């Protein structure tokens, strides 16, 4: 199998990449990177620097003969202006999906979305509205498409948290976990579920937090 990943340096994308490397079923992994220097020692992994994640017109060959694709690029709310947040959340994801549709129409695409994604596109929250936009536009491409809507993602591997809010949330994770199966998930659980769906599929397009856990 051939796999392509956008966002492999992130918390979830990096774990999906590890699953790909460990899998005997996968013979080639294309990793789309913002900048060079993150190459894997594994010979099945090929790093490709992308200068514009909203334009793959010169990289069509990367998307040919792909069996599974994972889009995990994202940015935290408030880290960039709203117009840039929309470009990253909607445009990057949709253009990735379009390139896949043109070159490998039978491939499976797994999108890292988020809890509360609003497909009515009317939410006052940019995160929910833009995630919903991305889901809608990709869904209309008629790919084999699964969108993952995790709640709070607990980083199994310690990291520098992006804000004080995330520092507090991480500390409160044992309590958050008690609130039920639709509130939180470990980074490893999410990555494993996405990887499994990419290779084997799932029973529905929209996978909320509890649905993701049920894939394991």
């Amino acid at each position: 199998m051939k796999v392509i990943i956008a966002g492999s340096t992130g918390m979830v994308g990096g774990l999906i990449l590890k699953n790909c490397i460990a899998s005997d079923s996968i013979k080639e992994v294309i990793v789309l990177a913002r900048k060079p220097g993150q190459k894997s020692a594994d010979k099945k992994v090929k790093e490709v620097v992308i200068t514009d994640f909203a334009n793959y017109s010169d990289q069509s060959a990367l998307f040919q003969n792909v069996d599974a694709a994972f889009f995990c690029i994202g940015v935290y709310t408030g880290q960039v202006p709203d117009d840039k947040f929309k470009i990253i959340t909607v445009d990057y994801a949709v253009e990735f999906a379009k390139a896949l549709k043109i070159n490998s129409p039978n491939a499976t695409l797994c999108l890292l979305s988020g809890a509360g994604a609003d497909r009515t596109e009317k939410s006052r929250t940019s995160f929910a509205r833009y995630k919903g936009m991305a889901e809608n536009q990709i869904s209309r491409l008629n790919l084999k498409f699964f969108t993952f809507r995790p709640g709070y993602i607990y980083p199994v591997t310690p990291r520098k948290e992006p804000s004080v809010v995330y520092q507090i949330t991480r500390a409160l994770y044992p309590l958050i976990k008690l609130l039920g199966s639709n509130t939180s998930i470990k980074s490893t659980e999410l990555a494993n579920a996405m990887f499994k769906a990419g290779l084997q599929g799932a029973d529905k397009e929209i996978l909320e937090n509890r649905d993701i856990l049920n894939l394991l």
Side-chain angles (χ1 to χ4, degrees):
M1 296 182 71
K2 177 181 177 181
V3 170
I4 188 167
I5 307 173
S8 66
T9 59
M11 175 174 60
V12 178
L15 292 170
I16 292 174
L17 175 58
K18 288 183 179 180
N19 279 337
C20 290
I21 292 172
S23 174
D24 292 334
S25 299
I26 296 172
K27 303 304 180 185
E28 182 180 4
V29 185
I30 303 296
V31 171
L32 306 184
R34 292 185 177 91
K35 56 184 179 180
Q38 299 159 351
K39 294 181 180 179
S40 169
D42 194 283
K43 62 182 180 181
K44 75 169 70 172
V45 180
K46 178 183 178 182
E47 179 192 73
V48 179
V49 175
I50 301 297
T51 57
D52 183 4
F53 282 92
N55 183 0
Y56 292 101
S57 58
D58 295 330
Q59 287 92 14
S60 60
L62 299 176
F63 291 86
Q64 292 174 3
N65 302 312
V66 169
D67 297 290
F70 301 91
F71 187 89
C72 303
I73 293 176
V75 64
Y76 293 101
T77 304
Q79 285 191 324
V80 295
D82 187 74
D83 57 343
K84 183 63 175 179
F85 185 69
K86 183 179 180 182
I87 290 172
I88 295 171
T89 306
V90 182
D91 296 356
Y92 284 8
V94 173
E95 290 307 313
F96 180 87
K98 286 180 177 178
L100 188 68
K101 174 66 175 181
I102 292 170
N103 296 283
S104 295
N106 295 318
T108 297
L109 172 58
C110 293
L111 172 72
L112 179 54
S113 185
D118 178 22
R119 287 203 175 186
T120 71
E121 302 182 18
K122 296 179 180 179
S123 175
R124 294 183 179 181
T125 304
S126 295
F127 176 89
R129 187 169 66 255
Y130 296 154
K131 288 293 187 182
M133 285 182 185
E135 289 185 3
N136 282 336
Q137 292 183 40
I138 294 173
S139 183
R140 287 195 287 267
L141 295 175
N142 293 318
L143 281 161
K144 188 177 180 182
F145 169 54
F146 303 106
T147 181
F148 290 73
R149 296 179 174 182
Y152 168 65
I153 305 171
Y154 175 76
V156 171
T157 301
R159 64 172 186 172
K160 182 180 179 180
E161 297 296 339
S163 69
V164 174
V165 172
Y166 278 90
Q167 292 175 7
I168 295 171
T169 306
R170 179 183 174 89
L172 294 176
Y173 173 68
L175 296 177
I176 295 172
K177 189 176 180 181
L178 296 175
L179 296 177
S181 61
N182 222 32
T183 58
S184 65
I185 190 169
K186 293 179 180 178
S187 57
T188 48
E189 293 173 332
L190 175 56
N192 291 345
M194 290 184 68
F195 178 74
K196 183 176 180 180
L199 272 61
Q200 302 177 16
D203 60 0
K204 54 184 173 180
E205 180 175 291
I206 299 175
L207 297 155
E208 303 289 353
N209 200 94
R210 63 171 64 90
D211 303 315
I212 301 170
L213 289 169
N214 286 337
L215 282 179
L216 300 173

